[in-house]
Amino acid sequence: MKDKRKAYEEKFDAQLDEWNAQIELLKAKADKAKAEVKIEYYETIETLQRKQNDAKANLRELKAAGDEAWEDLKTGAEKAWAEVKTAYHDASSRFK
């Protein structure tokens, strides 16, 4: 169980790093965009960062949970992470 849990948490940590890199790319694109598009970029970035912060909170809660609670929290965390992933995908598609 501990190995599975550790691998799961490492996977989430790696995903957070990837999302941070994607936000930085969006910021770079926003800085080069025209004024009217720049506003849309930054609104999207704010939304993504809010969702990412929620996902980080879920991960902290998951890491702090005991083994029994961990399984229950994992389901909720997976749902939250799926929502963040969808938001990143949508933003990436919109700003290509």
Side-chain angles (χ1 to χ4, degrees):
M1 171 71 169
K2 292 231 183 248
D3 289 338
K4 179 181 174 185
R5 179 177 174 165
K6 183 170 176 65
Y8 198 83
E9 291 169 356
E10 287 173 354
K11 174 183 153 187
F12 278 159
D13 281 329
Q15 184 65 64
L16 281 172
D17 290 342
E18 183 180 326
W19 288 337
N20 283 331
Q22 289 176 354
I23 283 179
E24 292 306 313
L25 287 173
L26 282 175
K27 285 180 181 178
K29 287 181 180 180
D31 290 341
K32 295 177 184 176
K34 295 179 183 174
E36 63 274 3
V37 178
K38 193 177 282 195
I39 292 168
E40 187 178 349
Y41 264 106
Y42 281 109
E43 287 174 351
T44 300
I45 289 168
E46 278 184 37
T47 300
L48 291 173
Q49 287 176 321
R50 224 177 5 261
K51 288 180 181 284
Q52 184 177 6
N53 287 337
D54 291 344
K56 283 180 188 177
N58 283 339
L59 181 58
R60 280 192 302 274
E61 192 175 337
L62 204 59
K63 286 181 175 182
D67 288 339
E68 292 175 17
W70 189 86
E71 283 295 330
D72 293 334
L73 291 171
K74 184 178 95 167
T75 303
E78 286 175 339
K79 182 180 179 207
W81 285 78
E83 290 175 9
V84 176
K85 190 174 184 176
T86 299
Y88 273 94
H89 177 71
D90 292 348
S92 294
S93 296
R94 186 174 38 202
F95 296 117
K96 281 193 173 184

